Amino acid sequence: MKILFVTNMYPTPERPGYGAFVRQQAEQLREIGHTVDVINILGFRSRLNYVKGALDVLRTTRTTVYDVVHAHYGLTALPAWFRLHAPLVMTLHGSDVLGGRLERACSRLMSRRADAVIVVSEEMRQRIPGIVIPCGVDLNLFRPVDRAEARARLGWPADKPLILFPFDPRRGVKRHDLARAAVDRLAAEGVAAELITVSGVDNREMPWHYSAADAMILCSDWEGSPTSVKEALACDLPVVATDVGDVREIVRGVPGTSLCTQDVGEIARALRAALAVPRTGRFERRAAVAKYDQALTVDKIIGVYNTVLAEFNAKRRISASLTGLSHR
């Protein structure tokens, strides 16, 4: 197939880790023989870039025939709607359904106009109907590395418990304040743990960070299907997380994981328990995320493409037949 991705989440030199899961989907599709072009709308710079994005979509689909146009994130489905001669698939990733009013309104509007809607969690499907396909993880990339080797490579202290917060602390929804308060609570209780905040790192470097830490913390107000949790487990890292998105499903029965509320004391207790978990559950933790292998995710997405393309072509044939009859 020839596929056009339209997204506002894609790694750039200034934001190398942003939207890595979209890039991974594109790369996986290319690896199995499909052609994927990408229009990356830099909406964080200016809302006017969405207008430019619509013009880019129109111009690109006028000169190149695509089998499918796939919009990643609700706001980008609107400029993607200006595509020509191809069905529109949209994936909703989280804050476009659970976040601000503008994002929610645009996602709801475009979900009625798209040929197929993918959502990444059951919680999101309850708000906007769609096919649930959680984001996948490249299990060939995300695998455990020796912790001492990883810490030496990153220059992290060798003899201190380290809690990884792999998010931009400026994003309020991620609640860096709660992570900081919980680790401070541990310190007050005599656990000399340190909070390590990592953002703006190329996603291909993240296995070193997960492998170097003792636990990962996620305190978000909401999530869709957080890839960070899957990546951490794939790297044998215990996870403490709030019960958001599909985290409960991801960590169910996985050793060294805990769900908690946003109460600082509860988060601190869960972190203390995670730090006591022996790093010997590697195969169980990796096995828990095998169903999120990126290759399986892409197979499901291709299934959606095939369905909408068949329906789109059938409609075109019917339309052509009716047009032919009208000219007789």
Side-chain angles (χ1 to χ4, degrees):
M1 291 187 194
K2 195 166 183 63
I3 304 152
L4 177 65
F5 274 17
V6 183
T7 183
N8 59 1
M9 301 185 297
Y10 208 80
T12 62
E14 61 188 302
R15 304 174 92 185
Y18 187 61
F21 43 87
V22 179
R23 179 182 65 189
Q24 288 168 6
Q25 280 191 22
E27 290 175 344
Q28 184 77 38
L29 284 164
R30 291 176 185 132
E31 285 177 9
I32 58 178
H34 301 286
T35 299
V36 182
D37 296 331
V38 179
I39 292 177
N40 184 20
I41 299 173
L42 303 178
F44 67 94
R45 291 182 181 171
S46 170
R47 295 289 190 189
L48 291 176
N49 283 332
Y50 289 99
V51 178
K52 180 179 179 297
L55 295 174
D56 288 341
V57 169
L58 182 61
R59 182 166 44 250
T60 301
T61 57
R62 179 179 291 153
T63 57
T64 303
V65 177
Y66 290 94
D67 294 295
V68 175
V69 173
H70 190 164
H72 282 273
Y73 199 80
L75 286 179
T76 59
L78 184 55
W81 187 67
F82 288 85
R83 88 288 182 201
L84 299 172
H85 316 304
L88 174 63
V89 174
M90 64 183 291
T91 295
L92 301 171
H93 284 277
S95 57
D96 44 5
V97 175
L98 307 170
R101 183 177 300 176
L102 175 62
E103 286 85 350
R104 296 198 313 268
C106 185
S107 298
R108 193 172 295 110
L109 171 68
M110 293 311 301
S111 70
R112 301 188 186 106
R113 286 161 172 75
D115 295 282
V117 178
I118 297 171
V119 293
V120 298
S121 71
E122 179 63 28
E123 178 188 16
M124 293 172 62
R125 193 187 69 80
Q126 298 298 323
R127 303 198 183 198
I128 294 183
I131 304 161
V132 180
I133 304 179
C135 290
V137 174
D138 183 349
L139 295 180
N140 291 320
L141 173 64
F142 286 90
R143 57 176 57 253
V145 180
D146 178 76
R147 181 165 38 173
E149 179 185 354
R151 289 195 177 190
R153 186 177 191 272
L154 297 171
W156 290 6
D159 56 353
K160 180 182 289 189
L162 302 178
I163 311 297
L164 179 65
F165 183 86
F167 313 103
D168 185 345
R170 296 170 297 181
R171 294 189 63 198
V173 66
K174 298 297 186 180
R175 300 305 303 269
H176 181 263
D177 59 320
L178 294 179
R180 168 56 60 196
V183 174
D184 287 347
R185 177 74 63 89
L186 283 179
E189 295 172 353
V191 179
E194 181 179 341
L195 183 67
I196 302 289
T197 300
V198 175
S199 66
V201 172
D202 191 304
N203 192 246
R204 289 167 289 205
E205 289 293 310
M206 286 305 297
W208 292 100
H209 294 78
Y210 289 121
S211 296
D214 292 287
M216 191 202 97
I217 184 170
L218 181 146
C219 305
S220 301
D221 292 328
W222 68 74
E223 291 281 352
S225 180
T227 54
S228 57
V229 173
K230 304 163 200 169
E231 291 169 351
L233 294 177
C235 293
D236 191 32
L237 182 65
V239 172
V240 171
T242 47
D243 189 4
V244 290
D246 63 350
V247 173
R248 178 175 291 273
E249 175 63 25
I250 296 170
V251 305
R252 181 177 289 125
V254 180
T257 63
S258 298
L259 287 177
C260 56
T261 68
Q262 290 183 316
D263 176 76
V264 170
E266 186 176 340
I267 297 170
R269 288 191 294 275
L271 286 174
R272 181 188 283 271
L275 293 176
V277 173
R279 294 292 289 272
T280 56
R282 173 174 306 175
F283 299 111
E284 292 178 74
R285 282 191 271 271
R286 279 188 65 80
V289 292
K291 62 183 176 181
Y292 299 108
D293 189 336
Q294 181 76 292
L296 299 178
T297 296
V298 167
D299 281 345
K300 294 175 184 176
I301 292 170
I302 291 171
V304 174
Y305 291 168
N306 286 328
T307 298
V308 298
L309 186 56
E311 293 173 351
F312 183 79
N313 288 334
K315 290 176 183 177
R316 291 181 68 177
R317 287 193 296 269
I318 292 171
S319 177
S321 297
L322 293 175
T323 301
L325 288 173
S326 69
H327 288 307
R328 289 182 181 177

